[in-house]
Amino acid sequence: MSGQAPSADASALRRAARSRQDAGRLDEARALFRRAVEAAPLAPDGWVELAGCLLVSRRPEAALQVCDAGLARLPGSAALLCAKARVLQSLSRVAEAAAAFRAALAADPASGEARYGLALQAAEAGDWDLAADLAAPLPPSPAVDWLAARIALGRGDPEAARAKASRALGAPGLTPDQRAETALLLGEALDALGRPREAFSAFNLGKQALHALYAERARGRESETGKLTRLAAWFAAADPAPWRVAAGGSARSDVRGHAFLVGFPRSGTTLLEQALAGHPDLVSLEEAPTLAAPYEALMTSADGLGRLARLSDAEAEAWRGDYWRAVAAQGVDPRGRVFLDKAPAGTLYLPLIAKLFPDAKVLFAVRDPRDVVLSCFRSSFQMNALTYAFTDLAEAARCYAATMRLADVYRRVLPTAPFEVRYERLVDDFGRELARIAAHLGLEASPEMLDIAATARRRVVRTPSAPQVRAGLNRQGLGRWRAYAAELTGVQPILAPWVTRFGYEPEAGGAG
């Protein structure tokens, strides 16, 4: 189609593309959005929706290119500048995202999206006063009520947060994802008010909404639990011999040390990573897809796993080069320091680590399984195959159990010896545990590690744990599952073997 095609054609194409995107048919949606842009290249909506579809497809760099191409034609488009800011935010390029939002606001002082984006950034940084000031001129809407509830909760006023979130839920106009986020926020407010039964109902409402919203996209694809079970079966039957032979030398001569922090989401990895990031001789990277490419190539089929088992030196070196380029693309320079790659969901990557980085240390985070699964169920995450499992309490428990079973199989086959980090021990004896972990990484204890709140304030924290680590060390998360014991009854049999395996007290016992 030429750029002179009637805008009605582009509108029809965009409607069809949105329908495909809602159904999870992302390849078709992207193709239709591209045709819409070709039909009406001076219409910002086409560029914005194409970039959004690429972002949903987990192709943020391509989305960024689309935004820049659109801005080359429409340099003053506030909508496109906001779209670019959202993509930059997804890449943790927060300062650049803020600059794009500010440019959008300068181009269109009435841009509520730009102002809302800046207010949301301030809330994510824990700057509640700035967030409130930015949000104040926004016209009333359910989304603004949600933001106001989040600010109130951050300021320590759960009753105001409950009232605002309840009002937002009762109003028309919320999209399904906004309704889910609002329900989860209402649950947090009710939890803070000591009303766990009502809080769980709100968490359940939010997760049911997300489950329904993403069900079509998940249908026909391998579930996270299925993936973990498949890998466990393959490795249980594997010959350990090839896995005990590393391919080539893995250490970078200009990096003092290399470590991976894995386990399971909500197991205390953010607390530990923030503490270690305070050390002047350590640099960390938070949850970037540094091993996604070799996983897709080598761990999604039996043939690929066979190739990984017998990886040549040349192949390993090529993959290592890709890994370090991915690290550099995130703006991290590990030269002269210990580099920590934090990947809470990275337990399944341990075969890649064993083959590509046999000299790297592996920290394995452990927390009471009941607290872990409850926290996964009540938290808001960016949606992917793993976090879709967290939209159902029983599936979250099954996913946790499958991850721990896979870790046990890996321990029998791989030469990697994970170093266990116990969340409860870390919280109870913070300084001593940090010193022990630092020593394992080849570092002397440093007082800077103890002030996690200060470290969090100067860094971007992109996980549900951000408010907790910014508030400093606390014990509120220990044994929180007990307030929800009745609601967890159905998943206790799934988790009980791991409660025992890791030495936690059973349901009727004392503190975990």
Side-chain angles (χ1 to χ4, degrees), residues 93-400:
R93 293 161 62 176
V94 178
E96 294 172 77
F101 277 132
R102 286 194 293 268
L105 202 56
D108 178 9
S111 173
E113 184 178 5
R115 182 171 288 278
Y116 187 91
L118 288 168
L120 189 56
Q121 274 199 333
E124 290 181 348
D127 192 337
W128 308 113
D129 291 341
L130 177 59
D133 289 345
L134 286 163
L138 291 170
S141 74
V144 172
D145 278 341
W146 171 85
L147 180 57
R150 185 172 178 184
I151 293 169
L153 194 60
R155 283 174 156 173
D157 189 350
E159 177 54 38
R162 183 207 60 76
K164 292 177 185 299
S166 295
R167 184 172 67 187
L169 272 178
L174 281 178
T175 63
D177 57 328
Q178 289 173 331
R179 179 167 295 280
E181 292 292 328
T182 305
L184 293 175
L185 185 59
L186 174 61
E188 292 299 329
L190 289 164
D191 177 83
L193 289 167
R195 295 156 63 175
R197 185 169 298 178
E198 295 170 79
F200 191 86
S201 294
F203 296 142
N204 198 44
L205 176 65
K207 288 304 175 95
Q208 285 180 339
L210 288 172
H211 189 85
L213 178 62
Y214 289 96
E216 184 64 32
R217 194 172 302 171
R219 191 171 292 122
R221 300 183 181 184
E222 185 178 39
S223 70
E224 190 71 13
T225 304
K227 177 197 304 181
L228 295 162
T229 303
R230 169 178 59 80
L231 286 169
W234 195 94
F235 277 91
D239 177 6
W243 293 99
R244 301 188 182 279
V245 179
S250 71
R252 258 182 68 166
S253 60
D254 60 347
V255 174
R256 180 171 169 180
H258 187 193
F260 291 86
L261 174 55
V262 303
F264 199 81
R266 311 301 292 151
S267 293
T269 54
T270 297
L271 172 65
L272 177 57
E273 186 259 348
Q274 288 294 312
L276 292 174
H279 198 293
D281 294 328
L282 183 143
V283 61
S284 65
L285 180 58
E286 185 183 40
E287 301 184 37
T290 53
L291 289 172
Y295 172 82
E296 289 296 329
L298 299 170
M299 291 191 67
T300 54
S301 70
D303 286 346
L305 286 163
R307 292 197 306 274
L308 178 58
R310 295 168 177 80
L311 201 67
S312 70
D313 290 356
E315 289 172 315
E317 188 57 34
W319 283 118
R320 282 193 284 267
D322 285 349
Y323 172 87
W324 289 115
R325 282 187 288 274
V327 170
Q330 296 291 326
V332 174
D333 182 1
R335 288 177 296 179
R337 294 195 280 179
V338 172
F339 173 60
L340 178 67
D341 192 337
K342 176 202 170 193
T347 296
L348 78 168
Y349 293 148
L350 287 175
L352 290 170
I353 295 169
K355 279 292 180 181
L356 301 180
F357 304 104
D359 299 324
K361 304 287 179 65
V362 174
L363 305 179
F364 192 87
V366 173
R367 183 185 180 189
D368 189 315
R370 296 157 294 193
D371 278 330
V372 171
V373 169
L374 173 64
S375 188
C376 287
F377 184 68
R378 64 187 284 176
S379 298
S380 174
F381 298 92
Q382 183 176 343
M383 194 58 64
N384 55 39
L386 173 62
T387 57
Y388 185 71
F390 302 161
T391 63
D392 179 89
L393 183 64
E395 184 62 14
R398 287 190 289 267
C399 188
Y400 174 87

Side-chain angles (χ1 to χ4, degrees), residues 447-510:
E448 291 96 327
M449 295 190 299
L450 300 177
D451 194 349
I452 56 170
T455 301
R457 282 193 295 271
R458 65 175 180 265
R459 301 178 74 232
V460 178
V461 186
R462 306 279 298 164
T463 77
S465 303
Q468 290 96 322
V469 296
R470 288 197 190 97
L473 187 67
N474 67 75
R475 304 184 80 256
Q476 292 178 0
L478 299 182
R480 183 174 280 176
W481 68 270
R482 287 184 174 80
Y484 296 86
E487 288 77 15
L488 293 175
T489 299
V491 300
Q492 290 282 12
I494 302 172
L495 300 178
W498 302 103
V499 171
T500 301
R501 161 81 163 73
F502 293 126
Y504 292 98
E505 294 287 346
E507 184 174 355

Side-chain angles (χ1 to χ4, degrees), residues 29-74:
R30 289 193 301 270
L32 287 167
F33 278 132
R34 289 190 187 279
R35 288 175 57 193
V37 166
E38 292 169 5
L42 297 182
D45 289 352
W47 296 99
V48 169
E49 290 186 300
L50 174 57
C53 186
L54 286 163
L55 193 57
V56 169
S57 305
R58 302 182 72 181
R59 295 173 58 184
E61 296 296 344
L64 203 55
Q65 291 173 1
V66 165
C67 291
D68 286 337
L71 286 166
R73 288 179 176 265
L74 301 159

